[in-house]
Amino acid sequence: MNDKLLLLNGTEGLVHLLPFLFDYHPENSVVLAGITPTGTPLGFVRTDLPADPAHWPSLAEELVGHQQDDAASFLFPTHRLVAYVCPDPADPDYGPQSRLTHQPIADHLRDACHRQGLALSEAVYVTRSRYWSMLTTGPNDGHPIPEPPAELDSTGLPRSSDVLKSLAPTTGERAAAMAATLDTSVRALHTEIHSGGHQSVVDDAIDLVTTTIAELGTGARQAKDIPDDLAARLLLTLQYDDVCNTGLMHCEDHELAAANELWLALAHRCPAAYTDHAAVPLALHAFTAWALGNDATSRLALQAAEVCLPDQDLTHFLRSVFNSGSSFNHLREHLREHRATRGNPVTG
């Protein structure tokens, strides 16, 4: 993305740049990006587009506040901002009518910027094929998005709605069966805790995580074939911090693909009745996707984890790591130190 950050002139340039801010095409989103004096976007933040207009004023205040918090650590000022409103393609009014419906969001953002001494230079409404400037008058049907220059060709980047759909949990009879297995596992776990204490459960779970990742790595097991009772046990015990941290520590090159596969499979298995339990595997999936260079999946998996369980410690930690610009290898060195201290050496 870094070679694409020079801002092109005009609204078309902003539209072409948008997917490269996050390495995916955001949808059902509001995005705010700071612009440096040299015209480079810096400190870009995104949030879901609320359906209820009553939430739009507070969204604007919070988004500007978050952008300024991020920008405070930058060497260059970002007193000028641009906003994007990207509607949900499933909206029946998607297009010119939804643009009119969402117009007040741009007004709220401009007012929120003004209150903080900032200038909102542009607000762009972007669908899959057209765009509108929300701060100036223009044709009601907007403008077609033209072919971008080669360096800003985003056809290979995914759309957020498609990635989020790939992270969604199972439904129907499969979900009902998994919920029943989880209910049974909860009762069994309570019995074990009563008889042997939490630490015994944690120790067994750490061994189970290590063994399962090793089996996936060697091909002895496939994630899709993990029995429901094993998946349920992992989903429940990953809620312990020590077990969750063990998942993070399996971050060597020969482990990452297997761990990534495991976390995604567990997130898929988590039914609606246990939605909060999906937060940890989704966050771990975000971590391994980031380590493997899949930034789009990483960002969106972390977003999905935050929806499942707001204010969860792991998602906050990973969000701070991703936003700080820290490298995976730097974090891996720290995880290796912790892994060695815990007596869980690297194998394979």
Side-chain angles (χ1 to χ4, degrees):
M1 181 181 68
N2 290 336
D3 61 342
K4 301 176 176 66
L5 283 182
L6 287 179
L7 185 64
L8 302 181
N9 290 328
T11 308
E12 281 185 11
L14 291 173
V15 173
H16 289 148
L17 185 68
L18 173 61
F20 294 99
L21 297 180
F22 303 101
D23 288 323
Y24 62 83
H25 296 265
E27 296 180 317
N28 193 32
S29 300
V30 182
V31 175
L32 194 63
I35 305 297
T36 70
T38 59
T40 301
L42 196 62
F44 27 92
V45 293
R46 190 216 69 87
T47 190
D48 290 345
L49 174 57
D52 186 351
H55 295 156
W56 294 349
S58 59
L59 171 142
E61 295 290 346
E62 292 170 6
L63 202 61
V64 173
H66 287 320
Q67 193 283 329
Q68 287 297 284
D69 288 344
D70 283 352
S73 61
F74 300 144
L75 295 176
F76 303 101
T78 56
H79 297 306
R80 188 163 64 93
L81 293 94
V82 296
Y84 300 89
V85 179
C86 311
D88 184 350
D91 184 342
D93 293 330
Y94 188 71
Q97 185 56 49
S98 66
R99 196 274 301 180
L100 293 174
T101 300
H102 293 138
Q103 177 61 40
I105 296 175
D107 302 328
H108 293 310
L109 285 168
R110 180 165 50 187
D111 293 343
C113 287
H114 179 74
R115 283 190 286 272
Q116 297 202 33
L118 305 167
L120 184 64
S121 299
E122 180 61 284
V124 193
Y125 197 79
V126 185
T127 67
R128 292 187 173 187
S129 60
R130 308 189 75 80
Y131 73 90
W132 292 256
S133 171
M134 302 179 79
L135 298 185
T136 60
T137 57
N140 184 58
D141 61 350
H143 306 275
I145 298 176
E147 288 292 322
E151 63 272 19
L152 286 173
D153 183 1
S154 61
T155 53
L157 295 179
R159 297 193 177 276
S160 61
S161 56
D162 295 332
V163 176
L164 290 171
K165 190 179 299 182
S166 74
L167 301 173
T170 185
T171 57
E173 292 182 3
R174 188 74 186 83
M178 190 63 202
T181 302
L182 278 160
D183 291 343
T184 300
S185 296
V186 166
R187 292 190 291 270
L189 203 58
H190 284 166
T191 300
E192 290 180 39
I193 292 169
H194 182 74
S195 62
H198 287 282
Q199 191 59 52
S200 175
V201 171
V202 168
D203 292 341
D204 288 347
I206 288 173
D207 289 342
L208 188 60
V209 168
T210 300
T211 300
T212 305
I213 291 176
E215 289 176 345
L216 291 171
T218 62
R221 187 189 291 277
Q222 299 295 317
K224 64 182 178 63
D225 298 326
I226 291 176
D228 282 356
D229 57 347
L230 174 55
R233 181 80 178 195
L234 287 168
L235 281 167
L236 294 173
T237 54
L238 277 169
Q239 309 311 308
Y240 285 105
D241 287 344
D242 284 350
V243 183
C244 172
N245 291 337
T246 296
L248 279 177
M249 291 176 200
H250 286 280
C251 58
E252 298 302 325
D253 290 345
H254 69 277
E255 297 173 314
L256 282 171
N260 190 55
E261 185 181 358
L262 174 61
W263 309 137
L264 179 58
L266 292 177
H268 280 159
R269 295 283 188 96
C270 207
Y274 286 83
T275 294
D276 57 332
H277 285 61
V280 170
L282 281 169
L284 289 170
H285 181 57
F287 169 69
T288 50
W290 174 62
L292 292 166
N294 191 339
D295 288 345
T297 296
S298 176
R299 291 178 183 274
L300 290 164
L302 201 61
Q303 173 188 325
E306 289 172 334
V307 171
C308 289
L309 185 62
D311 301 322
Q312 201 247 7
D313 289 343
L314 179 59
T315 55
H316 276 302
F317 168 70
L318 291 176
R319 178 71 69 193
S320 66
V321 169
F322 296 168
N323 288 345
S324 71
S326 178
S327 72
F328 165 67
N329 285 327
H330 177 73
L331 177 58
R332 178 156 64 177
E333 287 304 315
H334 290 284
L335 293 172
R336 282 171 172 165
E337 293 173 7
H338 286 290
R339 189 170 183 174
T341 301
R342 293 190 177 202
N344 186 11
V346 176
T347 60

